[in-house]
Amino acid sequence: MDKRSKIALYSIGAIIVLLMIAEVTKPKPLNWRNSYSAADKIPLGCYVLYHELEPFTSNPLKTSDKSLYERLKDFNTSENTTLILINDYISIEDEGSEALLNFVENGNSVFISTNYIYGTFADSLNIEIDRDYDGFFKDPSKSIFTNKALKNNERLFDDVIENSYFTSIDTTKATVLGYMKDEEELLKEVNFIKTPYGNNGGAFYVHSNPFAFTNYHLLNDKADYAATVLSYLPTENNLLWDNYYKSGRKVIKSPLRFVLSNPALKWTFYISLLGLIVFVIFKGKRTQRIIPVVEPLKNSTVEFTQTIGDLYYQHGDYSNIIHKKIMYFLEFIRASYYLETNEFSERFIQKLAVKSSNTVQDTKSLIDLITYLKSKNNHTEKELISLNKQIEHFTKNNI
């Protein structure tokens, strides 16, 4: 390799190395995915809120990674608890809705902050949330409280916002705790309510701005507003953080998810896998190699006979074919019925008819034709066809 080629090669290698370094060291793009997960530190995660909830309860903050039906169906009601549900939409199945209503009816509380809400429980509370797409859908809006003493904790959300509000509430039971309004204060909509449920002091606290509880807003001067909203919750209750109804929930898609989530099945799987590995190590070397399949020689007698017959037929040698068919047929009689074929007497015809299950008339007709053909030297195609048909008719009744 000459000097010029080496310089070109080294230059290309240096460029590739520089590109790799630039790719590895370049800053990662900011992830703006809606998550609301307690484990996510991205702007729209809830890592900050989750770790700031401890002052709200004297007991350890609990987390639920199951559906509401699984988590609440056998819930311990000895101590009142507040369940916190925060996501861009809350869609709860019928069984979960029933479990949630029973949970609140027993004196517990539920805090929900969402842009959309679906489920039987929402219909039971007569709650609907919508967005003003023709108005200030993503325009700056100010979230305020009904209590004027909390005016200092009101905040203007000028970005990362979707202005959702209540379009339906049960005015006979619900208490309005907060509103949102545009910058010109020309439009005001309800965005925070409390709805009691049951006779044991349980209640739903429903809020329509989940963005207010994300890392982005809590770290940008909106923490006082979020804290004020949460201050309406019963302070003596334990807190249960939902980590299941989340857009950013980590879902294991492996087919072994169910097996590995069950301790008994998990250890069975591991032991079976270990046993299989041991079997392969110790048994694999002792196993004989696969014996190749040797196909048996093909019997081509029928094809050969057919080819020879076609050859005779194409040359028009009908006499030779007739002679051979008669010879083979008489051999068939001797081998199958143990009869002598030297003389075609009436006794021979009767015995052959009985043993072959043919009528005496059909047997006599065939023997007469054979006798006639044997007496001739030259034969025609028509005689060959007639002989073949009678032999086939005679042998088809053979048992």
Side-chain angles (χ1 to χ4, degrees), residues 103-305:
F103 174 75
V104 178
E105 192 173 10
N106 289 329
N108 301 291
S109 300
V110 174
F111 174 77
I112 299 174
S113 185
T114 182
N115 290 319
Y116 294 104
I117 189 167
Y118 308 98
T120 306
F121 82 97
D123 297 334
S124 301
L125 301 177
N126 193 22
I127 295 176
E128 290 183 10
I129 298 178
D130 202 354
R131 299 176 182 175
D132 184 8
Y133 290 98
D134 296 329
F136 64 113
F137 171 44
K138 289 183 177 290
D139 291 342
S141 64
K142 189 174 184 180
S143 293
I144 63 176
F145 296 100
T146 306
N147 187 348
K148 300 300 182 181
L150 302 175
K151 186 175 181 60
N152 291 335
N153 294 335
E154 298 172 356
R155 289 294 184 272
L156 175 67
F157 292 86
D158 52 1
D159 61 352
V160 190
I161 186 69
E162 293 179 6
N163 294 308
S164 301
Y165 55 88
F166 290 91
T167 57
S168 174
I169 60 176
D170 188 349
T171 55
T172 61
K173 296 181 180 179
T175 301
V176 176
L177 303 178
Y179 297 89
M180 71 169 185
K181 58 184 179 180
D182 58 0
E183 285 186 294
E184 292 79 14
E185 301 188 5
L186 299 176
L187 180 65
K188 184 171 72 171
E189 299 289 354
V190 176
N191 73 342
F192 186 26
I193 64 170
K194 172 186 176 181
T195 301
Y197 189 82
N199 300 319
N200 297 310
F204 286 92
Y205 298 83
V206 188
H207 183 261
S208 65
N209 182 11
F211 291 92
F213 302 95
T214 60
N215 301 327
Y216 179 82
H217 286 300
L218 291 181
L219 298 176
N220 284 278
D221 194 34
K222 306 297 189 300
D224 288 344
Y225 173 78
T228 304
V229 171
L230 295 177
S231 67
Y232 281 94
L233 304 180
T235 56
E236 68 278 3
N237 285 11
N238 297 329
L239 293 182
L240 176 62
W241 173 271
D242 168 72
N243 217 26
Y244 181 85
Y245 297 93
K246 301 292 185 185
S247 300
R249 176 166 61 100
K250 304 297 186 297
V251 179
I252 302 175
K253 297 182 179 180
S254 170
L256 294 174
R257 177 169 60 92
F258 176 76
V259 174
L260 297 179
S261 62
N262 188 304
L265 294 178
K266 179 176 69 174
W267 281 108
T268 302
F269 172 75
Y270 287 152
I271 294 173
S272 301
L273 187 62
L274 179 61
L276 181 61
I277 294 173
V278 173
F279 173 82
V280 171
I281 293 175
F282 291 97
K283 186 69 176 177
K285 296 182 179 180
R286 299 174 179 269
T287 303
Q288 183 180 359
R289 290 181 300 173
I290 297 176
I291 301 175
V293 178
V294 179
E295 296 290 342
L297 296 176
K298 187 177 180 181
N299 186 357
S300 57
T301 304
V302 176
E303 290 80 357
F304 176 75
T305 305

